[in-house]
Amino acid sequence: MEKKNIDWSNLGFGYIQTDFRFVSNYVNGAWDEGVLTEDANVVINECAGVLQYAQTVFEGMKAYTTADGRIVTFRPDLNGERMEQSARRLEMPVFPKEKFVEAVLKTIKANEAYVPPYGSGATLYVRPYMFGSNPVIGVKPADEYQFRVFTTPVGPYFKGGVKPLTIRVSDFDRAAPRGTGHIKAGLNYAMSLHAIVDAHKQGYDENMYLDAGTRTKVEETGGANFLFVTKEGKVVTPKSGSILPSITRRSLVQVAKEYLGLEAEEREIYLEELADFAECGLCGTAAVISPVGKIVDHGKEICFPSGMTEMGPVTKKLYDTLTGIQMGTIKAPEGWIAEVK
Ligand SMILES: *Cc1c(COP(=O)(O)O)cnc(C)c1O
């Protein structure tokens, strides 16, 4: 199969239309079979549930070429499971995770020409999502829904080398206790836009959100989970019901224990104890781990010993091991790699 003529290593993170996307409709209480289509536009009524009351959930994952030339994706079953949970919380019909994985693999296969070659650092980003599609004016769940999967090639995350991030402690809250912080829904992003635009204006890369209940504990950023390393080399991640359960973070914790022989713990982490940590990173599909060099809490700087030029040593080992597993150079745990055939 002939690849598209794209300068893979100079791609950014933007939307590039690819040839096919998957579409399935939920009408009269059932999902149809779904089809691949070349039509990239969605046509819905002006009063569609998603447009009025933001009834939409999504997922994000990547497809890439392994060292031995296979096209694969990472733990798509967990994305499918998470989308089921997100849908339930917003009173949307569940798109079954088995069908989700099938749709994802099918869409990647159809856009094989856009899957970047091994070693380019680029990947094919995959975006499954669903939304309420019929007119809804009184506040209630829609009756009809559309599930779609599209793909777009994206460039290497650490283009021009790794640059540790500077993060500020945000005065805004991301998620309420018992709210919707744990689901992957557009609504969690709409309300974070003001905070991130403001953070950028002030010279910060990201916002660290605290627990809205007490504002003493670390939650996450707008789109990535935190991972810390103690001075003793133990991996710790924040525990909270309002954090989005990152598949990358859960995988890194397993890698820490099973591949690196490190201790790992998920527990409440207080803002007060940040200065005791040796390393800090942000976990998510896009970067796997982005190192954090500095956290600024209203003028008070917390600088991690790993500094502002490179990843800390444990962060680096975690990064190398997980990306090795993804790229097929390190043996993956059973079921982590789904091959597109
Ligand atoms: C998607 C997302 C993450 C990262 O999850 P991954 O499954 O690792 O990609 C973290 N936080 C939020 C708020 C997210 O939406």
Side-chain angles (χ1 to χ4, degrees):
M1 182 262 335
E2 182 117 5
K3 290 282 173 189
K4 299 283 172 177
N5 184 19
I6 293 173
D7 183 5
W8 306 106
S9 43
N10 284 312
L11 276 174
F13 196 92
Y15 173 74
I16 294 173
Q17 192 174 310
T18 58
D19 295 342
F20 295 98
R21 65 279 305 124
F22 181 87
V23 184
S24 173
N25 288 297
Y26 182 88
V27 183
N28 296 329
W31 290 105
D32 66 18
E33 272 302 293
V35 286
L36 287 169
T37 164
E38 291 186 76
D39 189 354
N41 293 310
V42 178
V43 179
I44 47 177
N45 184 269
E46 61 188 352
C47 196
V50 59
L51 299 179
Q52 303 311 321
Y53 303 121
Q55 206 185 8
T56 176
V57 297
F58 69 100
E59 275 301 324
M61 49 214 294
K62 294 194 296 196
Y64 40 88
T65 310
T66 59
D68 59 359
R70 291 172 303 142
I71 293 177
V72 302
T73 183
F74 184 68
R75 310 187 77 177
D77 52 322
L78 295 190
N79 294 92
E81 228 170 83
R82 193 167 65 187
M83 195 169 202
E84 286 190 355
Q85 286 154 8
S86 298
R88 284 193 187 98
R89 180 65 176 77
L90 293 193
E91 286 295 330
M92 303 169 82
V94 160
F95 193 84
K97 60 177 188 245
E98 297 78 20
K99 284 182 69 182
F100 172 100
V101 172
E102 234 174 77
V104 162
L105 297 181
K106 222 172 166 170
T107 313
I108 298 168
K109 176 75 188 165
N111 295 294
E112 206 176 343
Y114 292 93
V115 181
Y118 175 73
S120 65
T123 55
L124 186 70
Y125 186 75
V126 183
R127 169 54 58 86
Y129 63 116
M130 57 188 269
F131 51 88
S133 53
N134 70 303
V136 174
I137 192 70
V139 177
K140 65 177 171 68
D143 302 307
E144 297 179 2
Y145 294 84
Q146 190 163 95
F147 169 85
R148 298 179 74 99
V149 184
F150 72 79
T151 62
T152 188
V154 297
Y157 194 85
F158 296 116
K159 216 190 299 183
V162 171
K163 273 188 225 76
L165 306 175
T166 301
I167 293 185
R168 73 164 179 193
V169 175
S170 177
D171 285 330
F172 298 101
D173 293 325
R174 174 184 170 273
R178 300 170 293 279
T180 55
H182 60 300
I183 62 165
K184 213 166 174 75
L187 53 88
N188 288 330
Y189 280 77
M191 62 86 224
S192 75
L193 295 176
H194 175 62
I196 192 65
V197 168
D198 187 62
H200 290 164
K201 265 189 211 154
Q202 312 287 332
Y204 301 102
D205 297 302
E206 286 289 347
N207 286 301
M208 168 182 273
Y209 292 106
L210 304 178
D211 73 297
T214 70
R215 295 194 58 82
T216 58
K217 289 174 276 185
V218 175
E219 295 251 300
E220 62 173 319
T221 65
N225 285 182
F226 278 104
L227 178 150
F228 299 95
V229 181
T230 68
K231 294 200 167 100
E232 293 74 39
K234 181 173 176 178
V235 170
V236 284
T237 55
K239 187 184 177 84
S240 151
S242 45
I243 291 176
L244 193 284
S246 157
I247 294 162
T248 315
R249 187 251 307 160
R250 287 182 272 162
S251 303
L252 286 166
V253 163
Q254 200 173 327
V255 163
K257 290 184 194 162
E258 293 172 13
Y259 285 71
L260 305 179
L262 300 172
E263 271 185 74
E265 186 185 15
E266 189 182 344
R267 64 162 168 87
E268 294 185 324
I269 295 175
Y270 287 85
L271 185 56
E272 271 182 352
E273 57 177 315
L274 289 186
D276 299 335
F277 291 125
E279 299 175 39
C280 172
L282 291 181
C283 324
T285 293
V288 178
I289 315 183
S290 308
V292 174
K294 194 197 289 186
I295 295 171
V296 183
D297 177 15
H298 301 89
K300 193 179 93 196
E301 293 197 348
I302 299 154
C303 298
F304 295 103
S306 50
M308 296 305 293
T309 53
E310 54 194 307
M311 280 193 187
V314 176
T315 305
K316 177 91 170 68
K317 263 191 229 161
L318 285 167
Y319 177 84
D320 288 344
T321 310
L322 187 56
T323 52
I325 287 170
Q326 293 179 331
M327 293 299 162
T329 57
I330 295 174
K331 190 170 163 25
E334 187 67 31
W336 277 24
I337 305 296
E339 191 172 343
V340 176
K341 288 184 193 154

